mmCIF file of all heavy atoms in Angstrom:
data_model
loop_
_atom_site.group_PDB
_atom_site.id
_atom_site.type_symbol
_atom_site.label_atom_id
_atom_site.label_comp_id
_atom_site.label_asym_id
_atom_site.label_seq_id
_atom_site.Cartn_x
_atom_site.Cartn_y
_atom_site.Cartn_z
ATOM 1 N N ARG W 151 112.550 98.248 74.961
ATOM 2 C CA ARG W 151 111.975 97.105 74.311
ATOM 3 C C ARG W 151 113.060 96.130 74.044
ATOM 4 O O ARG W 151 112.769 94.923 73.621
ATOM 5 C CB ARG W 151 111.281 97.542 73.018
ATOM 6 C CG ARG W 151 110.350 96.568 72.371
ATOM 7 C CD ARG W 151 109.602 97.218 71.197
ATOM 8 N NE ARG W 151 110.471 97.986 70.343
ATOM 9 C CZ ARG W 151 111.319 97.515 69.492
ATOM 10 N NH1 ARG W 151 111.421 96.201 69.317
ATOM 11 N NH2 ARG W 151 112.026 98.329 68.739
ATOM 12 N N GLY W 152 114.391 96.446 74.189
ATOM 13 C CA GLY W 152 115.484 95.523 73.980
ATOM 14 C C GLY W 152 116.274 95.752 72.768
ATOM 15 O O GLY W 152 117.190 94.972 72.436
ATOM 16 N N ALA W 153 116.062 96.908 72.048
ATOM 17 C CA ALA W 153 116.911 97.219 70.862
ATOM 18 C C ALA W 153 118.352 97.473 71.328
ATOM 19 O O ALA W 153 118.603 98.040 72.391
ATOM 20 C CB ALA W 153 116.373 98.445 70.115
ATOM 21 N N ARG W 154 119.254 97.095 70.457
ATOM 22 C CA ARG W 154 120.683 97.418 70.729
ATOM 23 C C ARG W 154 120.905 98.918 70.716
ATOM 24 O O ARG W 154 120.291 99.629 69.842
ATOM 25 C CB ARG W 154 121.523 96.774 69.636
ATOM 26 C CG ARG W 154 123.021 96.898 69.770
ATOM 27 C CD ARG W 154 123.715 96.205 68.631
ATOM 28 N NE ARG W 154 125.146 96.446 68.699
ATOM 29 C CZ ARG W 154 126.033 96.041 67.787
ATOM 30 N NH1 ARG W 154 125.613 95.300 66.745
ATOM 31 N NH2 ARG W 154 127.372 96.294 67.853
ATOM 32 N N TRP W 155 121.689 99.464 71.618
ATOM 33 C CA TRP W 155 121.874 100.884 71.749
ATOM 34 C C TRP W 155 123.346 101.280 71.590
ATOM 35 O O TRP W 155 124.195 100.799 72.279
ATOM 36 C CB TRP W 155 121.337 101.337 73.060
ATOM 37 C CG TRP W 155 121.408 102.798 73.369
ATOM 38 C CD1 TRP W 155 121.423 103.825 72.526
ATOM 39 C CD2 TRP W 155 121.405 103.421 74.695
ATOM 40 N NE1 TRP W 155 121.478 105.040 73.183
ATOM 41 C CE2 TRP W 155 121.459 104.833 74.513
ATOM 42 C CE3 TRP W 155 121.355 102.822 75.993
ATOM 43 C CZ2 TRP W 155 121.461 105.657 75.568
ATOM 44 C CZ3 TRP W 155 121.368 103.766 77.021
ATOM 45 C CH2 TRP W 155 121.461 105.159 76.862
ATOM 46 N N MET W 156 123.600 102.077 70.590
ATOM 47 C CA MET W 156 124.968 102.533 70.260
ATOM 48 C C MET W 156 125.022 104.067 70.355
ATOM 49 O O MET W 156 124.341 104.777 69.649
ATOM 50 C CB MET W 156 125.330 102.072 68.828
ATOM 51 C CG MET W 156 126.727 102.548 68.370
ATOM 52 S SD MET W 156 128.109 101.665 69.098
ATOM 53 C CE MET W 156 127.865 100.054 68.322
ATOM 54 N N ALA W 157 125.876 104.583 71.199
ATOM 55 C CA ALA W 157 126.163 106.015 71.301
ATOM 56 C C ALA W 157 127.402 106.351 70.474
ATOM 57 O O ALA W 157 128.405 105.668 70.576
ATOM 58 C CB ALA W 157 126.318 106.499 72.739
ATOM 59 N N THR W 158 127.325 107.430 69.676
ATOM 60 C CA THR W 158 128.525 107.814 68.947
ATOM 61 C C THR W 158 129.634 108.221 69.885
ATOM 62 O O THR W 158 130.831 107.946 69.628
ATOM 63 C CB THR W 158 128.211 108.945 67.951
ATOM 64 O OG1 THR W 158 127.736 110.100 68.687
ATOM 65 C CG2 THR W 158 127.167 108.591 66.939
ATOM 66 N N ASN W 159 129.281 108.839 70.977
ATOM 67 C CA ASN W 159 130.255 109.268 71.985
ATOM 68 C C ASN W 159 129.517 109.689 73.270
ATOM 69 O O ASN W 159 128.270 109.810 73.201
ATOM 70 C CB ASN W 159 131.042 110.476 71.512
ATOM 71 C CG ASN W 159 130.211 111.727 71.253
ATOM 72 O OD1 ASN W 159 129.354 111.759 70.426
ATOM 73 N ND2 ASN W 159 130.405 112.673 72.138
ATOM 74 N N ILE W 160 130.253 109.881 74.341
ATOM 75 C CA ILE W 160 129.588 110.184 75.602
ATOM 76 C C ILE W 160 130.287 111.432 76.185
ATOM 77 O O ILE W 160 130.400 111.519 77.461
ATOM 78 C CB ILE W 160 129.562 109.039 76.582
ATOM 79 C CG1 ILE W 160 130.936 108.416 76.772
ATOM 80 C CG2 ILE W 160 128.519 107.980 76.119
ATOM 81 C CD1 ILE W 160 131.019 107.283 77.854
ATOM 82 N N ASP W 161 130.713 112.342 75.408
ATOM 83 C CA ASP W 161 131.264 113.611 75.947
ATOM 84 C C ASP W 161 130.197 114.340 76.639
ATOM 85 O O ASP W 161 129.172 114.676 76.124
ATOM 86 C CB ASP W 161 131.751 114.516 74.728
ATOM 87 C CG ASP W 161 132.902 113.916 73.925
ATOM 88 O OD1 ASP W 161 132.965 112.648 73.773
ATOM 89 O OD2 ASP W 161 133.721 114.675 73.418
ATOM 90 N N ALA W 162 130.416 114.646 77.922
ATOM 91 C CA ALA W 162 129.400 115.359 78.717
ATOM 92 C C ALA W 162 129.209 116.813 78.256
ATOM 93 O O ALA W 162 128.066 117.306 78.315
ATOM 94 C CB ALA W 162 129.826 115.335 80.188
ATOM 95 N N THR W 163 130.266 117.411 77.755
ATOM 96 C CA THR W 163 130.131 118.796 77.302
ATOM 97 C C THR W 163 130.685 119.047 75.910
ATOM 98 O O THR W 163 131.410 118.176 75.402
ATOM 99 C CB THR W 163 130.900 119.767 78.245
ATOM 100 O OG1 THR W 163 132.274 119.308 78.347
ATOM 101 C CG2 THR W 163 130.319 119.714 79.684
ATOM 102 N N LEU W 164 130.233 120.121 75.302
ATOM 103 C CA LEU W 164 130.749 120.506 73.985
ATOM 104 C C LEU W 164 131.160 121.948 74.047
ATOM 105 O O LEU W 164 130.429 122.844 74.411
ATOM 106 C CB LEU W 164 129.612 120.401 73.013
ATOM 107 C CG LEU W 164 129.867 120.749 71.541
ATOM 108 C CD1 LEU W 164 130.804 119.725 70.887
ATOM 109 C CD2 LEU W 164 128.650 120.903 70.718
ATOM 110 N N PRO W 165 132.467 122.277 73.761
ATOM 111 C CA PRO W 165 132.978 123.609 73.747
ATOM 112 C C PRO W 165 132.318 124.467 72.662
ATOM 113 O O PRO W 165 132.213 124.046 71.470
ATOM 114 C CB PRO W 165 134.476 123.517 73.539
ATOM 115 C CG PRO W 165 134.798 122.064 73.796
ATOM 116 C CD PRO W 165 133.592 121.285 73.380
ATOM 117 N N THR W 166 131.772 125.624 73.012
ATOM 118 C CA THR W 166 131.204 126.544 72.061
ATOM 119 C C THR W 166 131.847 127.950 72.247
ATOM 120 O O THR W 166 132.622 128.126 73.194
ATOM 121 C CB THR W 166 129.707 126.707 72.217
ATOM 122 O OG1 THR W 166 129.369 127.484 73.356
ATOM 123 C CG2 THR W 166 129.002 125.333 72.356
ATOM 124 N N GLU W 167 131.550 128.835 71.384
ATOM 125 C CA GLU W 167 132.098 130.188 71.504
ATOM 126 C C GLU W 167 131.589 130.888 72.771
ATOM 127 O O GLU W 167 132.209 131.907 73.196
ATOM 128 C CB GLU W 167 131.744 131.008 70.244
ATOM 129 C CG GLU W 167 130.276 131.056 69.905
ATOM 130 C CD GLU W 167 129.866 129.995 68.918
ATOM 131 O OE1 GLU W 167 130.444 128.876 68.979
ATOM 132 O OE2 GLU W 167 128.985 130.255 68.109
ATOM 133 N N ARG W 168 130.485 130.413 73.372
ATOM 134 C CA ARG W 168 129.960 130.982 74.567
ATOM 135 C C ARG W 168 130.359 130.247 75.860
ATOM 136 O O ARG W 168 130.019 130.650 76.950
ATOM 137 C CB ARG W 168 128.456 131.060 74.491
ATOM 138 C CG ARG W 168 127.915 132.015 73.409
ATOM 139 C CD ARG W 168 126.397 132.016 73.325
ATOM 140 N NE ARG W 168 125.829 132.411 74.610
ATOM 141 C CZ ARG W 168 124.486 132.290 74.834
ATOM 142 N NH1 ARG W 168 123.674 131.834 73.923
ATOM 143 N NH2 ARG W 168 123.993 132.660 75.986
ATOM 144 N N GLY W 169 131.052 129.159 75.716
ATOM 145 C CA GLY W 169 131.437 128.330 76.873
ATOM 146 C C GLY W 169 131.081 126.865 76.681
ATOM 147 O O GLY W 169 130.843 126.406 75.547
ATOM 148 N N MET W 170 130.953 126.093 77.757
ATOM 149 C CA MET W 170 130.626 124.722 77.698
ATOM 150 C C MET W 170 129.145 124.445 77.654
ATOM 151 O O MET W 170 128.442 124.975 78.489
ATOM 152 C CB MET W 170 131.221 123.940 78.863
ATOM 153 C CG MET W 170 132.773 123.980 78.830
ATOM 154 S SD MET W 170 133.459 123.057 77.470
ATOM 155 C CE MET W 170 135.128 123.732 77.516
ATOM 156 N N ALA W 171 128.697 123.735 76.636
ATOM 157 C CA ALA W 171 127.275 123.374 76.480
ATOM 158 C C ALA W 171 127.081 121.861 76.596
ATOM 159 O O ALA W 171 128.101 121.133 76.579
ATOM 160 C CB ALA W 171 126.788 123.819 75.110
ATOM 161 N N PRO W 172 125.868 121.377 76.837
ATOM 162 C CA PRO W 172 125.706 119.947 76.951
ATOM 163 C C PRO W 172 126.088 119.183 75.749
ATOM 164 O O PRO W 172 125.782 119.573 74.595
ATOM 165 C CB PRO W 172 124.158 119.795 77.203
ATOM 166 C CG PRO W 172 123.748 121.114 77.738
ATOM 167 C CD PRO W 172 124.624 122.141 77.064
ATOM 168 N N GLY W 173 126.886 118.118 75.866
ATOM 169 C CA GLY W 173 127.353 117.298 74.731
ATOM 170 C C GLY W 173 126.470 116.086 74.626
ATOM 171 O O GLY W 173 125.473 115.933 75.383
ATOM 172 N N ASN W 174 126.893 115.160 73.785
ATOM 173 C CA ASN W 174 126.093 113.972 73.523
ATOM 174 C C ASN W 174 125.941 113.107 74.804
ATOM 175 O O ASN W 174 124.870 112.528 75.024
ATOM 176 C CB ASN W 174 126.654 113.130 72.421
ATOM 177 C CG ASN W 174 125.764 112.049 71.917
ATOM 178 O OD1 ASN W 174 124.592 112.346 71.546
ATOM 179 N ND2 ASN W 174 126.188 110.813 71.903
ATOM 180 N N GLY W 175 126.959 113.104 75.607
ATOM 181 C CA GLY W 175 126.893 112.299 76.843
ATOM 182 C C GLY W 175 125.833 112.783 77.809
ATOM 183 O O GLY W 175 125.191 111.975 78.502
ATOM 184 N N SER W 176 125.482 114.019 77.764
ATOM 185 C CA SER W 176 124.359 114.588 78.593
ATOM 186 C C SER W 176 123.038 114.108 78.074
ATOM 187 O O SER W 176 122.112 113.846 78.826
ATOM 188 C CB SER W 176 124.478 116.079 78.622
ATOM 189 O OG SER W 176 125.651 116.580 79.250
ATOM 190 N N MET W 177 122.919 113.997 76.774
ATOM 191 C CA MET W 177 121.691 113.513 76.166
ATOM 192 C C MET W 177 121.566 111.984 76.359
ATOM 193 O O MET W 177 120.500 111.466 76.562
ATOM 194 C CB MET W 177 121.594 113.880 74.686
ATOM 195 C CG MET W 177 121.727 115.365 74.337
ATOM 196 S SD MET W 177 120.410 116.337 75.060
ATOM 197 C CE MET W 177 121.250 117.084 76.481
#
Side-chain angles (χ1 to χ4, degrees):
R151 196 173 43 76
R154 183 180 175 184
W155 182 24
M156 176 77 68
T158 60
N159 66 292
I160 51 173
D161 298 32
T163 57
L164 179 71
T166 75
E167 54 269 33
R168 294 178 59 188
M170 293 298 164
N174 193 52
S176 296
M177 303 298 103

